[in-house]
Amino acid sequence: MPKLRTILFLVLLIGVLWHFYGDAFQESGYRGTYDKMKHDVEEIMDSPRIALTLDTLKQEFELLWNKFSSNKENTSPTEPTPEAPKLTQPTDQTFSIHNIEIGDMRSEVEKQVGKPNRSTLNEYGVEWATYHENYHNFLMVAYDSSDKVAGLYTNQDLLSSKVGITFNSTRKDVLSTLDDPIKAIRKGRILYQVQETDEYNTFLIDNNYVTIFYDLHENNRVTAIQIISADLEKQKAAYFGDATSALQQGLEYQLFDLTNAERVKRGLSVLSWEEPLRKTARDHSADMAKNNYFSHENLEGKSPFDRMADDAISFRGAGENLATGQPSSIFAHEGLMNSLGHRENILKAGFDSLAVGVAFNEENQPFYTENFLRK
């Protein structure tokens, strides 16, 4: 296999050289070609535009080699995509997700979708139960103390409604169909303003807070929906949840799951959880929260790659996403998807693993760090 790799590299190198110097060889022979190459190299070395390094060429060749190797070695048939559920119109509510509505019993939900893949604490003080088939047909369900559905979320095409809104609808469709979005939510004596943004709108429908998210880079189409019952919303006394180690871990795993659900719906591979990298991500979130800054470069001038090296994390490629100010991983993820650089990391085919680290400042505001790896 190493010999084949060397041969392929030489063929690639010869092809590149012939592309640039084939004419020179035919006109002037070996010596003339050598002189032209020498002149070009000296000119490039004197130029500030020396971006195409041997290291870059090597990385690109490794990527091509990995794709060739994986296609060559993977002779077994690919895992079939799970069948999408047949969606029906909601019975009692305006919206349903995977034919599940606010107020349904947990026992009925799990007759449809089975047991949860993961259950983790959310900012409302209850758990998001996450259901999926290797991240296909992905949804999150929150239950109240009576085991009734009190919260729903999906970023996959599992939405049905009585008013014709689907994942093919646009923001314009939504705003022309529903009543005006709300502008604030009262928490005790405090009125929390709902941010005015093109990225999402929140509506009060059926005594539920329905937040519809849009993809700014795909014609403002509906890309996700969260439904929270008014009773569950009232349980959260402030804008942010109480900072606990359980919520910290919950936000981390929720952002990880949301990222994989996003990748799967676009035909990309599932990322594995990279446990040793969680410390690197958490430490950076904690540093930003403690020292009140928000940057990929820390106060010591270290980049994400420096921090990974300090923690003995080995990689061939890496990336980092940061978010703060959002009350949940859902809002953090949807915001990252509407930022081109962060979106690129989430949807990069070359990454194979991910860790998320969350930390809170003194006001319980979470700071999110996503670290992606290509090993």
Side-chain angles (χ1 to χ4, degrees):
M1 194 67 80
K3 288 183 179 179
L4 180 57
R5 183 185 298 203
T6 302
I7 291 169
L8 283 173
F9 181 76
L10 288 173
V11 170
L12 178 64
L13 181 60
I14 291 168
V16 171
L17 290 174
W18 184 259
H19 175 76
F20 287 105
Y21 298 104
D23 292 341
F25 178 79
Q26 290 176 345
E27 291 175 6
S28 309
Y30 292 106
R31 184 64 194 178
T33 304
Y34 170 78
D35 290 341
K36 183 170 185 357
M37 289 175 66
K38 184 171 181 294
H39 173 270
D40 288 349
V41 168
E42 289 173 349
E43 189 176 65
I44 291 170
M45 294 303 292
D46 290 337
S47 168
R49 298 181 302 146
I50 183 168
L52 189 61
T53 63
L54 287 176
D55 184 57
T56 302
L57 281 171
K58 181 182 176 184
Q59 288 185 23
E60 292 302 319
F61 177 73
E62 290 290 343
L63 276 173
L64 288 170
W65 173 259
N66 289 337
K67 289 180 180 179
F68 171 81
S69 299
S70 62
N71 289 337
K72 189 81 174 174
E73 293 167 7
N74 185 17
T75 55
S76 60
T78 57
E79 184 178 335
T81 301
E83 187 177 345
K86 183 178 179 180
L87 300 178
T88 59
Q89 194 176 87
T91 305
D92 300 319
Q93 303 277 313
T94 302
F95 295 99
S96 64
I97 295 173
H98 205 301
N99 299 324
I100 299 164
E101 302 177 35
I102 297 293
D104 287 354
M105 295 300 301
R106 181 174 190 145
S107 58
E108 293 301 316
V109 171
E110 296 190 350
K111 277 184 185 178
Q112 293 186 62
V113 296
K115 297 297 181 182
N117 301 74
R118 195 195 310 274
S119 292
T120 51
L121 191 70
N122 63 28
E123 71 277 15
Y124 292 100
V126 299
E127 292 187 337
W128 278 125
T130 304
Y131 303 90
H132 57 85
E133 301 159 79
N134 198 27
Y135 293 101
H136 295 273
N137 299 326
F138 177 88
L139 74 154
M140 296 162 67
V141 185
Y143 301 98
D144 64 17
S145 57
S146 301
D147 261 355
K148 290 184 177 181
V149 175
L152 287 164
Y153 168 88
T154 188
N155 60 0
Q156 295 186 3
D157 193 5
L158 302 173
L159 172 67
S160 55
S161 72
K162 292 181 177 179
V163 291
I165 293 172
T166 70
F167 271 48
N168 291 319
S169 303
T170 65
R171 181 172 186 264
K172 183 178 179 182
D173 297 330
V174 172
L175 293 176
S176 64
T177 301
L178 301 177
D179 291 337
D180 291 340
I182 64 170
K183 296 184 177 179
I185 297 177
R186 181 175 294 279
K187 303 280 186 182
R189 295 182 178 180
I190 301 176
L191 195 65
Y192 290 94
Q193 300 294 320
V194 175
Q195 183 181 355
E196 291 189 17
T197 174
D198 292 339
E199 296 185 18
Y200 62 85
N201 294 115
T202 300
F203 306 87
L204 186 58
I205 303 170
D206 302 329
N207 205 31
N208 302 317
Y209 289 97
V210 179
T211 301
I212 299 178
F213 299 89
Y214 313 106
D215 192 324
L216 302 185
H217 305 294
E218 292 185 358
N219 302 315
N220 296 307
R221 282 204 305 267
V222 173
T223 191
I225 182 169
Q226 174 183 271
I227 308 172
I228 301 294
S229 73
D231 289 339
L232 182 58
E233 185 64 51
K234 288 175 185 175
Q235 281 185 210
K236 187 160 69 90
Y239 184 69
F240 298 116
D242 293 332
T244 64
S245 59
L247 180 58
Q248 177 188 38
Q249 187 176 86
L251 294 178
E252 290 169 348
Y253 282 127
Q254 287 153 26
L255 190 49
F256 172 76
D257 288 339
L258 290 162
T259 300
N260 271 328
E262 193 74 57
R263 287 174 63 88
V264 161
K265 80 177 183 181
R266 296 164 187 275
L268 296 168
S269 62
V270 171
L271 302 176
S272 61
W273 176 263
E274 188 72 19
E275 180 58 32
L277 190 57
R278 187 194 328 222
K279 177 184 180 300
T280 309
R282 272 190 180 180
D283 286 351
H284 188 55
S285 289
D287 190 41
M288 290 190 294
K290 179 181 178 181
N291 294 296
N292 192 32
Y293 75 95
F294 185 70
S295 173
H296 292 288
E297 187 174 284
N298 67 17
L299 299 181
E300 297 176 356
K302 290 187 175 182
S303 71
F305 317 109
D306 296 327
R307 296 191 291 272
M308 291 177 198
D310 288 345
D311 290 340
I313 303 296
S314 59
F315 57 89
R316 292 189 297 121
E320 181 176 84
N321 285 352
L322 303 177
T324 192
Q326 300 89 351
S328 73
S329 290
I330 288 174
F331 280 85
H333 170 73
E334 299 301 335
L336 290 169
M337 280 298 294
N338 276 322
S339 169
L340 281 175
H342 298 106
R343 180 190 187 96
E344 182 180 349
N345 280 336
I346 292 169
L347 302 181
K348 188 181 288 291
F351 288 143
D352 47 47
S353 59
L354 166 67
V356 182
V358 170
F360 305 93
N361 66 10
E362 292 180 352
E363 286 76 42
N364 291 338
Q365 176 180 330
F367 286 71
Y368 308 83
T369 299
E370 286 185 308
N371 284 153
F372 300 83
L373 289 187
R374 175 167 59 89
K375 293 183 178 180

